[in-house]
Amino acid sequence: MTENHTALYGEHQKAGASFTDFGGWQMPLKYSSELAEHHAVRNAAGLFDLSHMGEVWVSGPDAAAFLDYALAGKLSAVAVGKAKYSLICNADGGIIDDLISYRRSDDKYLVVPNAGNAATVAALLAERAAGFDVRVQDVSGETSLIAVQGPNAEAILLTLVPAGQHPLVKELKYYAAVEVGITVGGTVHELLLARTGYTGEDGFEIYLPNADAPALWQALLASGTAHGLIPAGLAARDSLRLEAGMPLYGNELSLDGHPYAAGLGPVVSLAKESDFVGRAALAAIKESGEGTTTGRKLVGLKGVGRRAARGHYPVLKDGVVIGEVTSGQPSPTLGYPVALAYVDVAHAEPGTLLDVDLRGKAEPFEVVALPFYRRQK
Amino acid sequence: MSKVAPELQYSAEHEWISTDGSSPSTIGVSAVAADALGDIVYVDLPEVGATVTAGEPCGEIESTKSVSDLYAPVTGEVTEVNTAAVDDPAVINSDPYGAGWLFKVAVESEGPLLTAAEYAAANGGEL
């Protein structure tokens, strides 16, 4: 597997990061302590390099109609300036990726797939574009993505935004994006700023050309330090998203799974008039009740003891395997183990007591409603 | 690079054992292992009075991102465990060769042990 480096690789090296391979990229796992990074995001702010994520522009007169066809959600209903979480499925209803799409104008969207799926998604979009008057442009290789996440994220962003544009940032809603002036290397650049994230906190994601990324990273660190900002790696990103009950592609979401069992039924728009890839299969799955009234569905598990469940551990009821853990670890914020697992729907009600086979020893866990952690607003 | 304390001996499974000739011997995990595990949040140690066997699992160490077995580097009876490290496992990261020690064993026999230099060479540690 090739090991790509983001434009910020040098910054991570300077900061003493330890690296991990993720989706074909060498990414910072942590800089010092992943627990400290996790707590910084919950209590102050963390700085993330997400440049491994993909960026695909979809533009043209048919852009909205095309995305309605290519994705499971109704992207034509998204207002300009807003974003939408969606799925790209295959004809069987299997999940190829989960992604966020930003509507930038009537006929232009930015689609953001996961790192490991970016090339696949870009190619599929191009393939599905046949017959539509659209242009699909994969700019992943030239685009960086920097996230500032945490309660102090807004204050930190504002230090780099001209005063006249402060209202644009302050009034930016969750799952919305705006072009805003951000000072990078002494000059103001118009950059795409989104109020999105994968941590369960308030936060921003900034899309920018690779060449400007190191300067913005340094500027954010320089002005953010006073606000408690520290760089945070993928270990913290994973524990943060797990506490927030957010699925990770490859763990909770896969080609073999489908949106209904993953709790993402509302993301699938069977109400939209037009056809879309996977529609017939997804309608049949919904009709069958698979993942809602039969089979297995995704639930949250809270550990009664101190030992944590991990991915692929069996979930038991009275000694019989009735499910499997997809993600799990000790929750740094809550102080007890948390996990996501697919379990038989008969045992999926919050309050149900189950066991997880922790390397040969059954440890009690309770089914709980998601998310595990919800920030105070 | 992770530190390897020169005055200790090591197992291939990353435990260290004191070799100052005193009995019982003190056992912990190396900084190489602690750093690789990440922030340690839970440690399960053998009980005082239990007999551990060289090369076999006798507990586990859990970090935010992974879990690994704790192996006994020697055979013998456990005489003391570090309850402070059980209560606050972060000390295993911050001071693995000192306050982060794990348990003491009245040694009957040793498993295969490495010198600090051998362990450092095999695991990319820094003496």
Side-chain angles (χ1 to χ4, degrees):
Chain A
M1 176 169 272
T2 56
E3 294 214 326
N4 298 306
H5 291 177
T6 74
L8 294 168
Y9 185 75
E11 299 301 313
H12 306 322
Q13 281 188 311
K14 271 191 275 175
S18 32
F19 290 87
T20 186
D21 176 84
F22 188 80
W25 294 77
Q26 276 291 296
M27 296 303 293
L29 180 67
K30 58 175 180 169
Y31 297 84
S32 54
S33 151
E34 68 269 21
L35 276 177
E37 293 163 21
H38 180 109
H39 293 309
V41 172
R42 288 277 178 257
N43 302 318
L47 184 63
F48 295 86
D49 176 14
L50 307 179
S51 304
H52 57 318
M53 304 281 287
E55 291 87 9
V56 183
W57 284 103
V58 173
S59 51
D62 290 347
F66 161 66
L67 287 176
D68 277 354
Y69 168 74
L71 307 183
K74 189 173 181 180
L75 280 297
S76 61
V78 177
V80 172
K82 299 290 190 190
K84 188 175 179 66
Y85 176 77
S86 193
L87 299 168
I88 181 167
C89 293
N90 63 20
D92 300 326
I95 303 170
I96 293 165
D97 202 8
D98 61 336
L99 27 79
I100 294 179
S101 302
Y102 300 90
R103 189 169 202 173
R104 301 309 307 143
S105 67
D106 278 344
D107 59 1
K108 195 168 185 186
Y109 292 78
L110 176 63
V111 178
V112 179
N114 284 299
N117 296 327
T120 305
V121 170
L124 261 181
L125 288 176
E127 188 183 310
R128 292 180 182 182
F132 290 94
D133 187 1
V134 291
R135 179 173 178 220
V136 175
Q137 191 184 5
D138 182 0
V139 296
S140 305
E142 63 220 53
T143 308
S144 290
L145 175 56
I146 295 175
V148 184
Q149 298 280 306
N152 296 349
E154 184 182 290
I156 293 163
L157 244 300
L158 290 177
T159 63
L160 300 182
V161 173
Q165 294 194 40
H166 280 194
L168 285 178
V169 177
K170 289 180 173 175
E171 288 159 21
L172 190 63
K173 299 271 194 256
Y174 187 54
Y175 263 68
V178 66
E179 299 274 343
V180 68
I182 296 181
T183 309
V184 181
T187 52
V188 177
H189 297 237
E190 287 288 314
L191 300 178
L192 181 62
L193 176 72
R195 199 158 208 157
T196 45
Y198 193 53
T199 61
E201 296 299 329
D202 186 20
F204 296 87
E205 297 180 317
I206 307 162
Y207 295 87
L208 74 169
N210 287 344
D212 297 330
L216 177 61
W217 181 268
Q218 291 160 9
L220 285 165
L221 270 182
S223 60
T225 304
H227 297 273
L229 178 77
I230 58 172
L234 291 187
R237 184 168 161 82
D238 192 41
S239 53
L240 289 158
R241 71 89 194 170
L242 178 60
E243 286 183 347
M246 295 171 167
L248 171 65
Y249 194 87
N251 289 28
E252 284 73 40
L253 309 180
S254 72
L255 269 181
D256 300 329
H258 61 76
Y260 295 102
L264 298 178
V267 177
V268 180
S269 175
L270 294 174
K272 64 183 166 185
E273 307 77 32
S274 55
D275 191 23
F276 63 93
V277 180
R279 178 175 195 129
L282 288 164
I285 292 167
K286 188 182 185 192
E287 178 71 23
S288 74
E290 169 71 30
T292 47
T293 57
T294 67
R296 289 179 177 179
K297 68 184 288 191
L298 190 67
V299 299
L301 296 177
K302 170 186 173 176
V304 175
R306 282 180 69 177
R307 299 172 79 217
R310 306 283 176 174
H312 306 299
Y313 287 7
V315 182
L316 314 172
K317 180 69 180 177
D318 302 327
V320 178
V321 176
I322 54 97
E324 184 176 299
V325 174
T326 50
S327 298
Q329 67 167 78
S331 160
T333 306
L334 303 168
Y336 50 75
V338 296
L340 293 170
Y342 279 97
V343 304
D344 290 352
V345 293
H347 305 293
E349 272 303 302
T352 307
L353 277 179
L354 301 172
D355 293 312
V356 176
D357 181 348
L358 294 188
R359 301 174 294 285
K361 186 160 176 257
E363 291 275 353
F365 280 72
E366 181 187 345
V367 178
V368 295
L370 294 171
F372 300 105
Y373 165 86
R374 198 188 299 271
R375 75 186 160 103
Q376 306 292 315
K377 294 192 183 170
Chain B
M1 193 174 273
S2 304
K3 284 280 180 194
V4 174
E7 70 280 13
L8 303 172
Q9 286 189 288
Y10 297 83
S11 69
E13 291 86 14
H14 306 287
E15 284 74 29
W16 58 258
I17 180 163
S18 63
T19 53
D20 57 4
S22 65
S23 185
S25 290
T26 306
I27 291 162
V29 293
S30 75
V32 174
D35 290 349
L37 274 166
D39 289 324
I40 296 164
V41 293
Y42 175 70
V43 59
D44 180 38
L45 298 178
E47 291 182 7
V48 172
T51 298
V52 295
T53 305
E56 295 196 357
C58 63
E60 61 184 27
I61 296 190
E62 183 143 25
S63 71
T64 51
K65 60 183 163 58
S66 68
V67 61
S68 48
D69 283 323
L70 181 65
Y71 288 85
V74 294
T75 298
E77 185 181 324
V78 177
T79 60
E80 191 180 347
V81 299
N82 185 0
T83 53
V86 173
D87 292 341
D88 180 16
V91 71
I92 302 167
N93 290 108
S94 60
D95 191 10
Y97 302 118
W101 67 276
L102 296 178
F103 59 100
K104 297 185 181 184
V105 174
V107 179
E108 290 169 20
S109 61
E110 293 181 353
L113 296 177
L114 307 171
T115 66
E118 288 167 342
Y119 178 76
N123 295 284
E126 181 182 38
L127 274 173

